[in-house]
């Protein structure tokens, strides 16, 4: 192996995997990438209504696709993902998404700087170094030769921070503020991006074992709905965050902050539950490219209503220049709070204490060349575990440091994919399948409810509920609400890229064979 490939292998050896499709386990018969075996309605696979069957009038001929009340059956998906041999399970049932994994998963802080990094497409000649990215004469080149995502180029589409120039001296990447003409004004009135995310990796690259469930969830009506905190963290900038699903924690799940042990040093940790009524929070699972491959990340955004600890906007650069004309600079917080405070359930306001380690669930990353220390600065992950590496993406502030594992979150989330809560009194009413407020019920007529028990006959008891029931009854509902339905998921192609093994950890997942073939060679 060449010295260059050895260096790359060392840089990424913390995430060794295998390339292959892994469709069945050692015993055969189980498709680990699609547990429904291509049929998300598997639960009716043993049912078939023949012509002339008594159920034909209710459900039709063949495999039933609706209930007796006419409400459509809904697809069921199951999947899983892992980092560091720690698994999270995702399920979709009755348009309810759940994601359940481990408790007290460590998060890092990172904040978007209001721009998109776009990489030069393979075989294209880019802009000269020092070019004015806002100049009209450069827009055609930017529009046609650079892109935030290069799916056909796999790992090679990413360029390290030190590879900003191509061999011919042109720009390998350009950093465009979200107000750049390329984005056609869709972010012109965007709220200032002044809040960090607290995030961690949930999946392998391409999340092959959760692809069916997550891809279905991401196209439903309830997906890509981003709250006010999420917008202030930039989660609605599609060039950076391609897919977003807002989540709610289960009733016994929490986010936790390390407040330290009183009177002791930083290495004496103690996590307390965050008071969600006073420190506001929004939770998401997002898809974002990392080294030009899609991964899933869990992200939380916090903000206090009574102070500005979490807020920050760098008073420099094209993004700041693009928005300061429509905001009052005096109202913008332009200094980072190194240790933001969180409200606790006991009523106290406590500073977050970060740790110098990679995370509390990573006691021996050094044994497999993964570094193991907290990067201690924001910005591009780059060549981590080299100490020059940052804690996230190139679109993020270096000065917003990660505060590794200052915040933990319980991976126990749910959301309604149709965007409608079950506490809606009109949701799931039985007339939804018919679409009319009044429904005619047909039944066998006769007098129902006459007592026949000897005890009641002997004492002459009469059932006050006994009545003659006619062959048809019209029942009128309070309203007509649409049936819970779903958006059809386009057919997915099987993931044929890297699939992780137990040796894999966070990212990126790539095999030694791929290094030998020069997959990441620049």
């Amino acid at each position: 192996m060449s010295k260059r490939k050895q260096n790359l292998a060392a840089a990424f050896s913390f995430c060794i995997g295998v390339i292959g499709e892994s469709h069945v386990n050692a015993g055969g018969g189980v498709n680990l990438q699609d547990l429904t075996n291509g049929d998300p309605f598997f639960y009716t696979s043993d049912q078939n209504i023949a012509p002339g069957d008594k159920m034909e009038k209710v459900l039709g001929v063949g495999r039933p696709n609706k209930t007796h009340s006419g409400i459509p059956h809904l697809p069921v998906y199951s999947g899983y993902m892992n980092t560091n041999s720690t698994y999270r399970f995702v399920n979709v049932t009755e348009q309810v998404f759940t994601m359940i994994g481990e408790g007290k998963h460590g998060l890092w802080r990172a904040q978007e700087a209001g721009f998109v990094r776009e990489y030069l497409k393979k075989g294209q000649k880019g802009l000269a170094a020092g070019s004015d990215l806002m100049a009209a004469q450069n827009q055609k080149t930017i529009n046609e030769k650079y892109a935030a995502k290069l799916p056909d180029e796999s790992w090679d589409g990413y360029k390290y921070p030190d590879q900003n120039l191509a061999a011919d001296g042109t720009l390998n990447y350009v950093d465009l503020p979200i107000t750049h003409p390329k984005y056609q004004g869709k972010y012109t009135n965007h709220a200032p991006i002044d809040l960090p995310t607290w995030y961690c990796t949930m999946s392998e690259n391409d999340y092959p074992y959760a692809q069916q469930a997550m891809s279905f969830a991401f196209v439903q009506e309830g997906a890509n709905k981003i709250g006010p905190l999420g917008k202030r963290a930039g989660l609605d900038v599609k060039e950076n965050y391609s897919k977003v699903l807002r989540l709610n924690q289960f009733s016994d799940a929490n986010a936790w902050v390390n407040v330290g042990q009183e009177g002791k040093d930083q290495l004496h940790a103690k996590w307390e539950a965050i008071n969600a009524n006073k420190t506001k929070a929004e939770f998401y699972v997002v898809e974002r490219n990392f080294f030009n491959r899609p991964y899933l990340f869990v992200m939380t955004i916090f903000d206090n209503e009574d102070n500005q600890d979490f807020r920050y906007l760098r008073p420099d650069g094209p993004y700041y220049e693009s928005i300061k004309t429509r905001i009052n600079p005096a109202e913008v917080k332009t200094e980072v709070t190194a240790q933001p405070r969180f409200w606790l359930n006991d009523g106290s306001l406590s500073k977050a204490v970060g740790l110098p380690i990679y995370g509390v669930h990573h006691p021996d990353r050094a044994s497999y060349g993964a570094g193991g220390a907290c990067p201690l600065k924001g910005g591009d992950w780059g060549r981590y575990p080299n100490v020059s590496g940052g804690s996230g993406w190139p679109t993020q502030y270096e000065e917003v440091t990660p505060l590794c594992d200052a915040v933990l979150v319980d991976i126990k989330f749910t959301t309604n994919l149709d965007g409608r809560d079950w506490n809606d009194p009109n949701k799931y009413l039985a007339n939804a399948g018919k679409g009319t407020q009044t429904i005619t019920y047909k039944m066998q007529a006769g007098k129902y409810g006459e007592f026949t028990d000897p005890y009641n006959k002997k004492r002459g008891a009469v059932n006050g509920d006994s009545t003659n029931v006619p062959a048809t009854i019209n029942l009128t509902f309070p309203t007509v609400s649409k049936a819970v339905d779903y958006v059809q998921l386009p057919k997915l192609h099987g993931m044929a890229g890297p699939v992780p093994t137990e040796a894999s950890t966070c990212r990126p997942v790539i095999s030694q064979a791929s290094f030998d073939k020069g997959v990441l060679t620049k």
Side-chain angles (χ1 to χ4, degrees):
M1 185 188 297
S2 69
K3 180 67 174 177
R4 177 171 56 179
K5 290 179 182 176
Q6 287 177 344
N7 290 339
L8 285 168
F12 289 99
S13 62
F14 60 95
C15 278
I16 294 174
V18 297
I19 284 184
E21 292 200 4
S22 184
H23 284 292
V24 297
N25 65 11
V30 177
N31 183 344
L32 294 179
Q33 292 186 24
D34 180 9
L35 298 178
T36 66
N37 209 21
D39 181 8
F41 301 93
F42 59 88
Y43 51 88
T44 65
S45 60
D46 62 346
Q47 302 173 41
N48 187 68
I49 299 171
D53 189 290
K54 291 181 178 180
M55 292 301 296
E56 179 182 354
K57 291 183 178 180
V58 178
L59 298 176
V61 174
R63 190 169 165 183
N65 62 3
K66 60 185 177 182
T67 68
H68 288 191
S69 61
I71 295 173
H73 287 165
L74 300 172
V76 174
Y77 290 97
S78 295
Y80 59 96
M81 61 193 81
N82 91 91
T83 56
N84 303 290
S85 296
T86 303
Y87 287 81
R88 297 104 201 179
F89 300 88
V90 291
N91 291 280
V92 175
T93 309
E94 285 295 319
Q95 285 299 80
V96 177
F97 173 90
T98 60
M99 178 178 178
I100 299 178
E102 75 278 24
K104 297 182 175 61
H105 182 92
L107 305 180
W108 293 0
R109 180 178 63 165
Q111 186 173 337
E112 295 298 320
F115 69 86
V116 177
R117 175 159 291 184
E118 297 213 354
Y119 293 95
L120 184 64
K121 296 177 182 178
K122 185 177 181 180
Q124 298 292 326
K125 182 177 178 63
L127 293 174
S131 295
D132 182 355
L133 301 182
M134 303 301 290
Q137 67 268 25
N138 292 327
Q139 299 316 303
K140 188 174 188 296
T141 298
I142 291 173
N143 289 340
E144 296 179 358
K145 297 185 178 182
Y146 291 88
K149 303 178 184 69
L150 299 170
D152 295 334
E153 298 187 32
S154 189
W155 306 99
D156 283 320
Y158 168 81
K159 304 299 186 297
Y160 290 95
D162 53 78
Q163 295 175 321
N164 59 313
L165 296 180
D168 62 0
T170 59
L171 294 172
N172 258 334
Y173 54 78
V174 293
D175 291 336
L176 307 179
I178 62 173
T179 51
H180 189 274
K182 181 168 186 175
Y183 308 127
Q184 300 180 335
K186 61 183 176 180
Y187 304 120
T188 299
N189 297 314
H190 194 282
I193 298 175
D194 66 344
L195 290 179
T197 59
W198 301 73
Y199 88 98
C200 197
T201 318
M202 286 287 98
S203 77
E204 319 85 341
N205 63 276
D206 300 274
Y207 47 98
Y209 305 117
Q211 189 184 63
Q212 293 276 352
M214 293 305 308
S215 296
F216 177 84
F218 282 135
V219 300
Q220 300 310 302
E221 291 184 15
N224 301 301
K225 307 294 186 186
I226 300 168
L229 301 188
K231 291 178 180 178
R232 288 171 56 196
L235 297 191
D236 57 338
V237 177
K238 299 295 287 185
E239 290 75 16
N240 289 334
Y241 297 92
S242 50
K243 300 171 184 176
V244 179
L245 185 64
R246 188 172 176 180
L247 304 173
N248 302 292
Q249 285 196 311
F250 278 80
S251 61
D252 63 339
N254 287 286
W256 309 79
V257 60
N258 178 24
V259 298
Q261 297 179 30
E262 188 173 358
K264 297 183 179 180
D265 65 21
Q266 180 188 15
L267 298 181
H268 289 76
K270 179 184 179 184
W271 286 269
E272 297 280 359
I274 297 168
N275 186 326
N277 292 320
K278 300 188 72 173
T279 295
K280 301 299 182 184
E282 292 177 3
F283 303 93
Y284 297 88
V285 59
V286 308
E287 179 193 87
R288 179 164 185 175
N289 270 17
F290 187 78
F291 285 78
N292 198 44
R293 294 296 286 268
Y295 285 74
L296 296 177
F297 301 88
V298 66
M299 292 190 171
T300 302
I301 303 98
F302 298 102
D303 191 34
N304 295 323
E305 294 184 351
D306 59 344
N307 63 62
Q308 296 186 326
D309 280 18
F310 295 98
R311 305 171 197 178
Y312 171 69
L313 191 64
R314 180 191 284 180
D316 182 68
Y319 175 62
Y320 181 73
E321 293 300 319
S322 72
I323 66 170
K324 73 177 185 179
T325 58
R326 59 183 176 86
I327 63 173
N328 183 354
E331 296 178 356
V332 176
K333 181 167 171 278
T334 56
E335 293 185 6
V336 179
T337 299
Q339 292 179 273
R341 294 166 295 171
F342 289 80
W343 285 102
L344 307 182
N345 287 332
D346 64 4
S348 64
L349 189 63
S350 297
K351 289 183 178 180
V353 179
L355 299 175
I357 62 174
Y358 188 94
V360 293
H361 291 289
H362 301 260
D364 192 12
R365 291 175 63 84
S367 66
Y368 47 97
C374 177
L376 298 177
K377 69 176 181 178
D380 199 339
W381 179 279
R383 299 191 184 277
Y384 185 91
N386 184 296
V387 296
S388 66
S391 58
W393 288 267
T395 60
Q396 296 173 337
Y397 295 129
E398 187 176 64
E399 65 268 28
V400 179
T401 58
L403 292 175
C404 293
D405 279 25
V407 173
L408 311 179
V409 67
D410 295 330
I411 307 299
K412 193 175 183 184
F413 297 108
T414 184
T415 195
N416 295 320
L417 294 178
D418 61 336
R420 300 161 62 200
D421 291 336
W422 285 43
N423 57 18
D424 178 351
N426 298 317
K427 185 177 181 180
Y428 283 113
L429 289 180
N431 65 330
K434 303 296 184 183
T436 58
Q437 192 167 353
T438 299
I439 302 295
T440 298
Y441 287 78
K442 301 175 182 179
M443 60 209 80
Q444 181 176 316
K447 189 169 186 179
Y448 287 76
E450 288 188 303
F451 286 156
T452 58
D453 187 290
Y455 168 77
N456 288 320
K457 296 275 287 185
K458 181 178 179 180
R459 65 191 185 96
V462 176
N463 181 5
D465 291 336
S466 178
T467 189
N468 284 301
V469 179
T472 61
I473 288 178
N474 290 330
L475 180 63
T476 300
F477 289 77
T479 187
V480 181
S481 185
K482 68 176 183 178
V484 176
D485 208 340
Y486 64 97
V487 178
Q488 181 67 46
L489 175 66
K491 182 175 176 59
L492 296 173
H493 298 289
M495 206 299 259
V499 176
T501 66
E502 281 197 23
S504 70
T505 62
C506 281
R507 47 197 184 177
V509 178
I510 191 89
S511 71
Q512 188 66 50
S514 294
F515 285 119
D516 293 340
K517 293 177 182 177
V519 169
L520 280 178
T521 300
K522 304 299 181 190

